[in-house]
Amino acid sequence: MNQPLQRLPTDASFKRTLALRLASKGEIVRYQEDPVLAALCTCAALQFEAGNPAFDRLTPFLGGQSGTEWAVDLVVRGQDIGVRIRRRDGQALEPRHPDLCHLLDPSSLNDEGVLSQAVIFPKLVAERYRKLGVDLVIVRDWILRSALSLEASETVGYLETNLWEVEACIAATQASMLARSELAFFGTHDIVDHLFGWNAPGFRSFSSTHQRAAAALATAAQTKSRSHLLLSYLVGVALDDTAQPKWYGSPAHRFTIDFVLDKLESAPLREGTLAIPESFHQVANTMRSKPASFGSLRQSLATFAEDCLRA
């Protein structure tokens, strides 16, 4: 007989205690090393993001629409910590992606076999995906600037471009993670854009690119110059795409990363404002267009590189 779910009370002090505990850890927290802390982080992030329009990507895949209100609790069952997501209006959920089978616990179904709630135990999810070939991890600084930020003014909306990611050179962390076959697992973006549809052959189609980027960005992260940080940021955005099934094997992304890494390896140090130039958005849009125009992509990349290297 399944053990019942016990609700884990959370409040402002819970979030502060969790953030302080995480802050004392290394840059990457792995489920194999600290499963309790990792699970608490993922659950707290999903609680923060579900129904939050600035972050929520999961609602449509549970059958909800814009404006759907969710009741989100942290729960405990035996040794496992999880999150429970229910509609406040009491309606059943409507699963809309086959890979929800890797996320949802059987207790999500009521006695009539109806999906009445979404119960997710992150440790168990991490174990399932590890068997598929990828390690799910918590990235300390990323979650401390989003779901576990203690100051609202410092919370980063990671679905949009932002200066904190440029200044912190998060691209270097991202590249080293991808080179080790690791993916962040604490937000709805991580689930919807990276885990839904994940498969080993597609992910590994960029293995050599991930390895090259990891080596190049580790050096760039040390310089902290304007030119290197802006160039690295574009690589980071492209790298995030390469770990999304819809962009697996994309020639335009490979071309973009190789072009920028070539520039980065010979780029002189430049100081100045870190404002993201408009040419960045032109590159991103062209890179993601289908089919991509390589002539337009090369031209927009050249303009972006000039903007980054301008004194």
Side-chain angles (χ1 to χ4, degrees):
M1 182 176 179
N2 288 332
Q3 293 177 284
L5 301 177
Q6 302 293 328
R7 184 173 177 272
L8 180 65
T10 58
D11 54 20
S13 63
F14 167 84
K15 179 177 179 179
R16 179 174 293 275
T17 299
L18 180 58
L20 292 175
R21 179 178 172 187
L22 178 63
S24 69
K25 298 294 183 176
E27 183 179 38
I28 303 296
V29 176
R30 298 176 175 85
Y31 271 85
Q32 306 98 302
E33 300 164 358
D34 199 334
V36 172
L37 178 59
L40 283 170
C41 288
T42 298
C43 291
L46 292 177
Q47 184 181 50
F48 170 77
E49 294 191 13
N52 184 335
F55 293 87
D56 188 8
R57 296 273 290 113
L58 190 58
T59 285
F61 294 89
L62 297 178
Q65 300 175 347
S66 177
T68 298
E69 294 188 1
W70 300 102
V72 188
D73 302 311
L74 269 63
V75 295
V76 178
R77 185 181 66 195
Q79 300 295 315
D80 292 320
I81 297 168
V83 62
R84 176 175 57 193
I85 305 173
R86 296 173 289 179
R87 290 185 62 140
R88 290 193 181 276
D89 59 14
Q91 293 186 30
L93 279 58
E94 300 176 16
R96 295 183 178 174
H97 197 286
D99 283 356
L100 279 167
C101 68
H102 298 311
L103 266 71
L104 300 185
D105 186 74
S107 60
S108 301
L109 300 172
N110 63 19
D111 292 339
E112 288 73 42
V114 174
L115 189 68
S116 58
Q117 56 190 359
V119 179
I120 300 171
F121 289 102
K123 176 189 172 185
L124 303 182
V125 175
E127 290 174 353
R128 292 173 193 140
Y129 274 92
R130 190 177 307 120
K131 291 177 181 178
L132 295 175
V134 65
D135 283 319
L136 306 184
V137 302
I138 303 299
V139 188
R140 180 196 62 202
D141 295 343
W142 297 3
I143 192 172
L144 287 176
R145 291 301 296 253
S146 55
L148 292 183
S149 174
L150 298 179
E151 298 294 337
S153 61
E154 296 180 355
T155 302
V156 170
Y158 56 71
L159 295 180
E160 301 176 354
T161 57
N162 62 83
L163 289 180
W164 177 78
E165 292 184 339
V166 179
E167 294 168 351
C169 198
I170 71 165
T173 300
Q174 186 176 50
S176 63
M177 287 168 52
L178 293 177
R180 296 191 300 265
S181 294
E182 294 176 344
L183 288 174
F185 178 44
F186 55 81
T188 60
H189 161 70
D190 304 327
I191 291 173
V192 170
D193 295 314
H194 292 283
L195 297 187
F196 283 178
W198 188 92
N199 66 81
F203 181 79
R204 291 170 184 159
S205 66
F206 276 104
S207 290
S208 60
T209 299
H210 294 160
Q211 296 292 338
R212 182 191 177 195
L217 295 182
T219 300
Q222 301 300 315
T223 69
K224 294 295 183 180
S225 78
R226 172 184 180 275
S227 53
H228 288 190
L229 289 176
L230 288 174
L231 289 167
S232 297
Y233 186 58
L234 177 57
V235 175
V237 169
L239 286 174
D240 187 78
D241 281 4
T242 68
Q244 299 180 33
K246 67 179 177 180
W247 300 116
Y248 283 169
S250 165
H253 284 72
R254 194 184 309 278
F255 180 86
T256 297
I257 294 170
D258 286 341
F259 182 99
V260 178
L261 290 181
D262 287 342
K263 294 291 183 181
L264 189 59
E265 290 169 355
S266 60
L269 302 182
R270 291 285 187 267
E271 303 304 323
T273 177
L274 285 176
I276 299 170
E278 182 58 35
S279 54
F280 165 89
H281 301 287
Q282 182 62 42
V283 171
N285 291 336
T286 305
M287 175 181 69
R288 291 167 173 162
S289 62
K290 293 184 178 181
S293 167
F294 280 84
S296 298
L297 182 58
R298 182 180 286 103
Q299 183 176 2
S300 60
L301 279 166
T303 300
F304 174 72
E306 290 175 5
D307 291 341
C308 292
L309 298 175
R310 188 174 294 116

